Amino acid sequence: MTPLIFAFKLLIAVPVALVLALTAIWYIWESGNTVLYDSFAQKMFSGLENYGLLAIPLFMLTGEMMNEGGMTRRLINAARVFVGGFRGGLAYINLLTNMFMAAIIGSATAQIAVMARAMTPEMEKEGYDTGFAAATTAAGGLLAPVIPPSMMFVIFGVLAQVPIGDMFLAGILPGLMLATAFALVIFVIGVMTGFPKGSWFTGREAFSALLYCLPAALIPCAIIGGVLFGIATPTESAAIASLLAFLIGWLIYGELKPRTLFGMFRRTAVNASMIIFMIATANVFGWVIIYEALPQKLAALITSISSDPFLFLLIVNLILLFVGMLIDGIAAVILITPILLPIAMNDYDISPYQFGVVMCLNLVLGLLTPPVGVGLYIASSMSNVSPGRILRSLWPFLLAVAIILVLLSRFPLLSTALI
């Protein structure tokens, strides 16, 4: 009965956090073990007693300050220095800027919203098809859950009880592979359709663009460098990055005003609280998973099909693709990790880092695929382009992601080489 209640609430669009909490309450009542009610609240709060979770609001705050402080525009100009003169240069600029932003914002939806507003009109002015411009921007948002820092990696690291810094390292090579695959897609489409030729900056313009971008570039360097060299934890790096974003936007660029801080704090608190509440209710939902022995039952079913780790990951990819189409990526990570990760580690000896990278990249595809497709609709709204038109230009990028997912599933070293 409990699985039916769970599925029904999801289908009628009850928020995932409430689905998790209400399902746990229903299970306790149905099982008759009402003693569990006494520790319900305690169980919820114990799910939040993890230092790493503090990184989530801090990374969100850093992104808010980056947008408010005018750093996005300067990163776009810096990207133009390196790739602006190639045929289709503005499409490459879009991709390269998305890489910079992925190393700062860490949220695909926030990144798509920011970049769609900044890049789609510019590409349209230079003669690019509007659908392709919006599709390129939306595809670039897929880099956010893989290139560190990533909020999905933070949440997965907490749930899987693995070091978040190591999860960040696991995402570097896959992120570069994905960016390279997207660049190849742009190149092939450019050859077939004849993109507009770009123009290079003069020496003085290039020097000026790079000089003005240097302060903004300190932020991703502080985040990734702090973790990579063991100077700071991911949470400490996020705190340093948010402080740097404020000081750079206020004192150097002069575009971030202290009076706007309250609004940014409020938006960060509201957005972060939704994720934190989901994690708390997921900890309570863990009761249902434990008492119903879902991982063990699912493991028995899957292992009866195959004992090959690669085939297991392909099956998992298909499951995740379907789940990602219906449920928000972060909610899906919270929901699925406790069920599938024990199977991957105990029955197939798969590294949690490989599994985490594959899962996070796969689930974020749901942002761009109907029927939910939040990222698709954000790109559509910000670009004034119909979702169908964006989808027609988006499929080569989605195919590239599918190929990368197969490679990541087949070769564990691609995720674990830097750890």
Side-chain angles (χ1 to χ4, degrees):
M1 188 65 181
T2 301
L4 292 176
I5 296 294
F6 176 79
F8 174 72
K9 283 183 286 193
L10 279 179
L11 287 173
I12 62 173
V14 175
V16 173
L18 292 179
V19 171
L20 296 172
L22 292 174
T23 301
I25 291 172
W26 177 274
Y27 180 82
I28 294 169
W29 177 79
E30 191 180 46
S31 65
N33 191 3
T34 52
V35 175
L36 293 176
Y37 280 129
D38 297 334
S39 54
F40 191 92
Q42 182 183 3
K43 192 73 175 174
M44 283 185 67
F45 279 104
S46 68
L48 304 180
E49 292 176 346
N50 191 299
Y51 173 68
L53 287 177
L54 190 57
I56 294 172
L58 289 171
F59 282 132
M60 285 182 168
L61 182 60
T62 302
E64 289 278 353
M65 290 181 174
M66 288 284 295
N67 297 336
E68 194 76 25
M71 283 161 254
T72 305
R73 185 176 68 256
R74 290 168 173 87
L75 288 172
I76 292 172
N77 281 336
R80 191 182 291 272
V81 172
F82 298 105
V83 294
F86 295 126
R87 182 169 294 280
L90 204 52
Y92 293 110
I93 290 169
N94 193 343
L95 178 61
L96 194 57
T97 309
N98 266 298
M99 285 186 66
F100 292 153
M101 296 300 291
I104 297 165
I105 295 181
S107 164
T109 49
Q111 185 169 321
I112 290 170
V114 170
M115 293 302 297
R117 194 164 54 239
M119 289 302 302
T120 306
E122 289 298 317
M123 292 182 71
E124 191 177 4
K125 282 180 197 173
E126 293 201 13
Y128 291 85
D129 175 72
T130 311
F132 173 77
T136 305
T137 306
L142 297 180
L143 295 168
V146 186
I147 293 179
S150 161
M151 279 190 289
M152 290 181 81
F153 279 180
V154 172
I155 294 167
F156 177 83
V158 169
L159 294 173
Q161 297 183 355
V162 296
I164 296 169
D166 287 346
M167 273 306 305
F168 284 177
L169 294 178
I172 292 176
L173 284 181
L176 293 175
M177 287 171 59
L178 193 60
T180 304
F182 286 170
L184 288 173
V185 168
I186 293 170
F187 174 76
V188 171
I189 295 175
V191 170
M192 294 172 62
T193 61
F195 281 160
K197 192 176 187 316
S199 59
W200 294 106
F201 276 163
T202 64
R204 182 185 294 273
E205 288 171 335
F207 178 77
S208 176
L210 291 175
L211 184 65
Y212 280 111
C213 177
L214 278 179
L218 286 175
I219 297 171
C221 288
I223 295 170
I224 299 172
V227 173
L228 192 62
F229 296 108
I231 300 170
T233 67
T235 303
E236 290 164 349
S237 294
I240 293 167
S242 60
L243 178 61
L244 279 175
F246 170 68
L247 294 176
I248 291 167
W250 177 36
L251 299 177
I252 298 179
Y253 294 146
E255 296 186 27
L256 179 60
K257 308 300 180 187
R259 65 174 177 271
T260 63
L261 282 176
F262 178 76
M264 288 187 284
F265 289 154
R266 184 179 180 278
R267 288 193 298 272
T268 300
V270 169
N271 293 331
S273 64
M274 292 188 289
I275 297 173
I276 298 298
F277 183 53
M278 275 196 290
I279 294 171
T281 54
N283 202 50
V284 177
F285 183 72
W287 279 344
V288 179
I289 294 173
I290 291 169
Y291 282 103
E292 287 293 321
L294 287 180
Q296 292 87 335
K297 292 175 182 176
L298 195 57
L301 175 63
I302 297 177
T303 51
S304 67
I305 299 172
S306 173
S307 59
D308 181 11
F310 176 52
L311 186 57
F312 166 75
L313 283 176
L314 290 183
I315 294 171
V316 167
N317 273 313
L318 291 174
I319 295 170
L320 294 176
L321 187 60
F322 176 73
V323 170
M325 289 180 180
L326 302 174
I327 305 175
D328 173 72
I330 289 176
V333 168
I334 294 169
L335 188 64
I336 290 172
T337 299
I339 299 173
L340 290 181
L341 182 62
I343 302 172
M345 293 176 63
N346 300 329
D347 294 275
Y348 291 93
D349 198 28
I350 294 172
S351 162
Y353 304 105
Q354 180 191 12
F355 187 82
V357 169
V358 168
M359 182 169 72
C360 292
L361 178 55
N362 191 313
L363 286 173
V364 85
L365 276 176
L367 285 174
L368 303 179
T369 51
V372 179
V374 176
L376 183 65
Y377 295 113
I378 289 173
S380 172
S381 173
M382 294 294 177
S383 310
N384 293 318
V385 187
S386 69
R389 189 173 172 188
I390 296 175
L391 267 177
R392 283 195 294 274
S393 299
L394 189 62
W395 72 263
F397 294 100
L398 299 181
L399 181 61
V401 176
I403 294 170
I404 295 297
L405 277 171
V406 171
L407 291 174
L408 291 173
S409 301
R410 181 66 184 85
F411 303 106
L413 200 63
L414 295 174
S415 306
T416 59
L418 299 180
I419 300 172

